[in-house]
C-alpha cells in the first residue's frame, strides 16, 4: 500500500494572488513558514530553504496553476534519507475564488513512512487554513499554534 494524500481548500481570492502567496517568500513567511525564514522565491530548477534549514528542491513552477517540489522525508535513525514529492494545483473558480489542491507522494512503505504521511497531511491541511485566514482576513493563524514555535523552534514531531 502506498502512502499518499490529497487535501484541498477554497480561498476567496483570485488565482494569481493565491499562487503568489506560495511562491513569494514575503507572503508565505507571513502565514506558514513563520520561523527561520524563506531563502527565496520558488523558481523551477532552484533549491530554497524553508524554516532556515529545510531544503525545497523546486522542479516545476507553472504560474498560476501548478508547483511541484521535492523535500526530505522524515526517517528513523540509520535509515537512508529520501525525498517525497509535493504537487500544488491552483484552479480559478467561476466565482473568482481559487481551489488549492496539495498532494504528497513517495513515502516508503514502512511504519515511519505511514506516520510521516499522516503528519504531513495534517501540516498541509493546516497550511491551507492558515493561507485562507491570511489572504481573506489578514489573520496569522500559525502564531502560537505549535508549542515548539512559542519557544522559537519550528514545529517538529518531538516539538509539537
Amino acid at each position: 500500500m502506498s502512502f499518499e494524500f490529497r487535501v484541498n481548500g477554497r480561498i476567496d481570492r483570485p488565482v494569481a494572488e493565491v499562487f503568489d502567496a506560495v511562491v513569494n517568500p514575503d507572503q508565505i513567511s507571513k502565514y506558514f513558514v513563520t520561523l527561520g525564514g524563506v531563502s527565496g522565491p520558488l523558481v523551477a530548477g532552484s533549491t530554497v530553504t524553508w524554516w532556515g534549514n529545510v531544503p525545497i528542491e523546486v522542479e516545476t513552477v507553472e504560474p498560476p496553476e501548478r508547483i511541484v517540489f521535492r523535500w526530505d522525508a522524515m526517517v528513523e535513525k540509520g535509515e537512508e534519507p529520501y525525498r517525497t514529492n509535493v504537487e500544488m494545483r491552483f484552479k480559478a473558480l467561476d466565482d473568482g475564488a481559487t481551489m488549492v489542491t496539495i498532494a504528497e507522494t513517495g513515502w516508503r512503505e514502512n511504519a515511519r513512512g505511514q506516520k510521516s504521511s499522516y503528519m504531513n497531511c495534517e501540516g498541509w491541511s493546516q497550511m491551507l487554513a492558515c493561507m485562507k485566514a491570511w489572504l481573506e482576513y489578514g489573520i496569522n493563524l500559525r502564531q502560537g499554534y505549535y508549542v515548539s514555535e512559542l519557544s522559537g523552534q519550528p514545529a517538529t514531531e518531538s516539538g509539537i
Side-chain angles (χ1 to χ4, degrees), residues 3-5 7 32 51 71-76 84 86 102 104 107 111-128 142 145-146 148 154-160:
F3 301 118
E4 59 185 63
F5 64 83
V7 296
F32 184 56
W51 298 287
W71 65 347
D72 295 338
M74 289 181 275
V75 295
E76 296 293 340
T84 60
V86 176
I102 303 172
E104 190 166 358
W107 283 278
R112 175 77 247 183
Q114 181 181 30
K115 184 174 184 178
S116 296
S117 71
Y118 290 173
M119 289 178 62
N120 284 21
C121 184
E122 173 190 5
W124 288 122
S125 296
Q126 193 255 358
M127 181 267 207
L128 287 175
R142 182 127 179 146
Y145 192 87
Y146 291 107
S148 63
T156 62
E157 182 178 11
S158 61
I160 295 173

Side-chain angles (χ1 to χ4, degrees), residues 28-75:
I28 198 166
S29 64
K30 289 188 169 101
Y31 68 89
F32 184 56
V33 186
T34 56
L35 292 176
V38 177
S39 67
L42 297 181
V43 176
S46 69
T47 299
V48 300
T49 57
W50 286 357
W51 298 287
N53 65 358
V54 176
I56 307 297
E57 184 180 292
V58 185
E59 293 182 359
T60 306
V61 177
E62 298 170 351
E65 298 173 355
R66 185 170 169 249
I67 300 166
V68 179
F69 65 84
R70 294 172 44 84
W71 65 347
D72 295 338
M74 289 181 275
V75 295

Side-chain angles (χ1 to χ4, degrees), residues 76-95:
E76 296 293 340
K77 187 173 183 166
E79 185 180 5
E80 187 71 27
Y82 69 101
R83 292 182 165 209
T84 60
N85 303 299
V86 176
E87 180 176 13
M88 298 181 172
R89 292 196 171 264
F90 304 80
K91 181 181 179 189
L93 301 175
D94 291 341
D95 64 358

